[in-house]
Amino acid sequence: MKTIQHWIDGAFTPAGSTRTAPVWNPATGERQAEVLLAERADVDAAVSAAARAFDSWGDSSLTKRTRVMFTLRELLVKHEDELARIIAAEHGKVIEDAKGEIVRGREIVEFACGITSALKGDYSDQVSSDIDSFSYRQPLGVVGGITPFNFPIMVPLWMHPIAIACGNTFVLKPSERDPSASNFVAELYAEAGLPGGVFNVVHGDKTAVDGLLENADVAAVSFVGSTPIAKYVHERATARGKRVQALGGAKNHAVVLPDADLDFAADQLTAAAYGSAGQRCMAVSAAVAVGDAGDALVPVLEKKARAIKVGPGDDPASEMGPVITAQARDRVANYVAGGAGQGARVVVDGRDLTVDGHEDGFFVGPSLIDHVKPGMGVYDDEVFGPLLVVVRSSSVEEAIALINANPYGNGTAVFTSDGEAARRFHRGVKVGMVGVNVPIPVPMSHYSFGGWKDSLFGEKHIHGPEGVDFYTRAKVITSRWPHVNRSVEAALNFPTAH
Ligand code: NAD
C-alpha cells in the first residue's frame, strides 16, 4: 500500500517515526493509502529547512517571486484534471466540484502574481526640513499553515501563495484525511522554480500541530478548521508570541423573505446545502423562512433534495458524493434522528440511501428537516453534512436576532426582491460575509475571507489585502542626509517637525 510522505527541503522525506493513519476512499469505504504522522523531530526538520531557506528567499527580488507564481498558476491550469481526480479520490467530492475549488484557489495565486502592487510602500517628501519618510512591509520568516479536510487544495492556497510571494517560507500541515493534493502542489512549486525549503509539507495529527505551535522559529500560524481546534491553536500560539489567524466552524443561515423568487431561492439553497455533501464552511445549513414563505418553500426544497443524484465523485452523473468518513456519515444520521426525537418534522430522510455497487461507501443522502428551533442539537451544532434545517420566523428583525444570537458568524444570505430589507439585513447581521440573493458569498481573491465571533480568532481575515498584512510587518523610515543642510542643530527635546 502507498505511503504518503512529507515534503521537506525540496524532496520527499520519510518520517523519523513509523506512525501512520489510513487514507480512505470515501466512495468505496476502502483504505487506499497510509499517510505518515510526523513526530516533533519531523516538524523541527521542516521548520529548520524553512528557516534556512528564508535567508535567501526573504531577500529575493519581487520579480523572482512573482515569476514563480506566474509559472505555478500555469501548472495548476495544466494539471487541473489530475488534481481534481486526486481530490475526488480522497475527499469524495464530485470532479466538477473539485475543479471549482482548484479554480477558486488558483485565483489566490493570480492575486499573488500581482503582489508587487500589494507591497508598494508610501513615500512622503519633506515631512520636516530636509527629512523624508517612507514605509514598506517585510516578511515575517517561517509561517505555519494548518488546514482542514474539506478543501484540500483551496484552503492551503488561501495561505501559502501570499505568504511566499511576500517573502516568507512556509510549512504546511494539511488534513491527514486527504493529504495527497498538498504533495502534488509541492512538486508543482519545485517545477515552477521555487527553491527547496521555501514550501514544505509535514503530514500528521495533533503532535505535528503542537510541533508547529511550539517551535520558536515559527513566526506566524494560519489555521482553518473546527472552532474548538481554532480556539486551541489561537490560545497556544499567541501565548508563545506568534501572530495567529484561526478560522473556525460555522452555522450559516439563509433568510428567505416572502417577496423572494421562491423557486430561485430554493434552487440556490439546495446547491448551497448539499453541494460537496454539505461539507463546506460556507454551506447553508439553516434556512430561515419569514412569514408565509415557509409553507411555499419547503415543498420546493423537498422536491429538489429528492432529485439530487448521489454517487461516487468520479462518476460524471453524480451531483453529490459521500462524506469523508464512516464516523461523519453516522454523525449526520444521528442528527436526523435527534431532530425527529426533539419534535422537528423530517421532510427528507437521507439515512435510507444506498448507492448501488458502493454499499460500503460513506454515503448519506440529503436530509431536510422543518420546524427546527434553537435548543435542538440539529440547529445548535455544526453538523457538517448534507442536512438542511428550516426555522420559521415572523419578521426580518426576528431573523436577524436569531442569526446574531448564534455563536458562529461565518456567512449568511438573504433572498428578497426588496432592496431596503436587504440593506437592513446586511447592516444588521453580526456575520463576516453576507450574500444578497447569493447563497455562498465567498469573497473573491482581491477581498479577504473571514467570519466573526466563534468563526475566527485573531484580528486578520485570510487572503486578499488582510492576508498581505498578516504575512508582513510594517517599517517606517525617517531619513535625512545631513550634508544637504548642516544648519539644523540637535536638541535634547523630543523632535518635532520644522
Ligand atoms: P478539524 O478542526 O478536525 O481539523 C483541522 C486541522 O486541525 C487538521 O489539520 C487536523 O489535523 C488538525 N487537528 C485536528 N484535531 C486536532 C487537535 N486535537 N489538536 C491539534 N490539531 C488538530 O477540522 P476538519 O474536520 O478537518 O474540517 C472541518 C471543519 O473546518 C468544520 O468545522 C468547518 O466549518 C471548518 N472550516 C472552516 C473554514 C473557514 O473558513 N472558517 C473553512 C473550511 C473548513
Side-chain angles (χ1 to χ4, degrees):
M1 187 167 298
K2 183 177 155 199
T3 301
I4 297 164
Q5 298 188 329
H6 312 304
W7 175 272
I8 298 173
D9 215 0
F12 285 116
T13 317
S17 83
T18 50
R19 280 196 312 135
T20 60
V23 177
W24 302 99
N25 179 338
T28 61
E30 284 161 6
R31 187 185 280 240
Q32 57 179 325
E34 296 288 326
V35 59
L36 291 175
L37 298 177
E39 296 298 346
R40 195 62 72 97
D42 303 309
V43 177
D44 290 347
V47 174
S48 297
R52 282 194 305 275
F54 179 68
D55 287 342
S56 50
W57 185 252
D59 214 22
S60 63
S61 73
L62 283 167
T63 309
K64 183 171 178 182
R65 292 185 226 156
T66 50
R67 277 191 187 141
V68 170
M69 291 299 154
F70 276 106
T71 312
L72 177 68
R73 193 250 169 218
E74 291 312 300
L75 291 171
L76 287 168
V77 172
K78 184 175 161 194
H79 294 284
E80 184 173 302
D81 288 345
E82 200 176 345
L83 257 168
R85 279 196 299 276
I86 291 171
I87 294 167
E90 291 185 355
H91 176 285
K93 63 177 74 176
V94 302
I95 295 277
E96 285 308 309
D97 190 35
K99 286 186 180 174
E101 76 156 296
I102 296 170
V103 171
R104 292 305 296 264
R106 204 165 64 212
E107 286 165 4
I108 310 293
V109 181
E110 287 161 5
F111 178 87
C113 290
I115 207 75
T116 42
S117 301
L119 287 180
K120 272 163 91 172
D122 289 323
Y123 195 102
S124 297
D125 171 55
Q126 197 76 346
V127 291
S128 180
S129 300
D130 295 329
I131 295 185
D132 306 326
S133 250
F134 55 99
S135 67
Y136 53 84
R137 302 189 71 88
Q138 290 187 310
L140 306 176
V142 180
V143 173
I146 302 156
T147 54
F149 81 85
N150 65 322
F151 284 109
I153 186 161
M154 182 185 77
V155 168
L157 281 169
W158 284 352
M159 305 172 179
H160 54 76
I162 298 184
I164 289 172
C166 286
N168 301 282
T169 56
F170 204 90
V171 180
L172 174 65
K173 205 304 283 173
S175 172
E176 63 277 36
R177 295 178 194 156
D178 43 15
S180 293
S182 296
N183 282 5
F184 196 90
V185 168
E187 290 183 281
L188 296 187
Y189 262 131
E191 196 180 335
L194 192 73
V198 178
F199 178 71
N200 307 273
V201 183
V202 284
H203 298 288
D205 53 10
K206 181 172 165 35
T207 303
V209 171
D210 288 346
L212 278 175
L213 304 184
E214 284 168 14
N215 189 308
D217 285 337
V218 174
V221 175
S222 294
F223 172 89
V224 177
S226 60
T227 288
I229 313 296
K231 223 171 184 168
Y232 167 80
V233 165
H234 184 254
E235 280 168 10
R236 194 132 183 180
T238 50
R240 282 159 182 76
K242 301 185 196 308
R243 192 179 279 199
V244 187
Q245 53 181 183
L247 283 70
K251 192 83 188 180
N252 305 311
H253 300 67
V255 176
V256 181
L257 302 189
D259 60 28
D261 175 335
L262 287 185
D263 202 55
F264 172 81
D267 234 4
Q268 301 290 315
L269 256 57
T270 303
Y274 304 120
S276 201
Q279 300 171 118
R280 293 180 182 142
C281 61
M282 290 289 274
V284 170
S285 48
V288 185
V290 174
D292 54 13
D295 289 345
L297 184 69
V298 170
V300 194
L301 286 174
E302 176 182 359
K303 194 168 146 232
K304 290 182 190 292
R306 290 194 191 284
I308 292 171
K309 288 199 178 65
V310 183
D314 59 3
D315 180 346
S318 303
E319 294 175 304
M320 187 185 112
V323 294
I324 186 76
T325 54
Q327 291 81 355
R329 177 196 58 206
D330 297 345
R331 194 186 62 234
V332 177
N334 285 338
Y335 275 110
V336 178
Q342 289 185 294
R345 185 170 84 88
V346 178
V347 181
V348 182
D349 189 338
R351 288 175 293 177
D352 309 331
L353 177 99
T354 48
V355 176
D356 287 345
H358 290 79
E359 286 73 12
D360 294 329
F362 310 141
F363 287 98
V364 56
S367 291
L368 178 67
I369 310 187
D370 195 7
H371 296 291
V372 168
K373 293 188 171 67
M376 296 180 179
V378 73
Y379 175 81
D380 291 348
D381 301 341
E382 182 186 36
V383 177
F384 220 58
L387 196 166
L388 177 65
V389 302
V390 181
V391 183
R392 307 295 185 112
S393 168
S394 62
S395 64
V396 188
E397 284 67 32
E398 199 181 295
I400 292 172
L402 177 82
I403 292 168
N404 289 348
N406 196 280
Y408 297 111
N410 212 40
T412 187
V414 64
F415 287 87
T416 181
S417 54
D418 179 346
E420 195 277 328
R423 183 171 187 273
R424 233 179 324 142
F425 179 82
H426 71 68
R427 295 195 71 249
V429 284
K430 293 184 177 127
V431 175
M433 295 169 283
V434 185
V436 176
N437 296 313
V438 172
I440 306 190
V442 174
M444 297 298 283
S445 62
H446 40 285
Y447 284 81
S448 300
F449 178 110
W452 289 14
K453 303 193 284 184
D454 282 0
S455 294
L456 191 147
F457 303 92
E459 291 75 40
K460 289 290 173 192
H461 287 194
I462 208 162
H463 75 62
E466 296 205 16
V468 174
D469 283 355
F470 182 78
Y471 294 125
T472 54
R473 52 187 161 183
K475 192 175 264 186
V476 183
I477 292 86
T478 305
S479 162
R480 169 165 61 201
W481 296 95
H483 60 273
V484 176
N485 181 356
R486 290 187 175 277
S487 66
V488 180
E489 287 179 15
L492 292 185
N493 301 329
F494 195 64
T496 56
H498 50 84

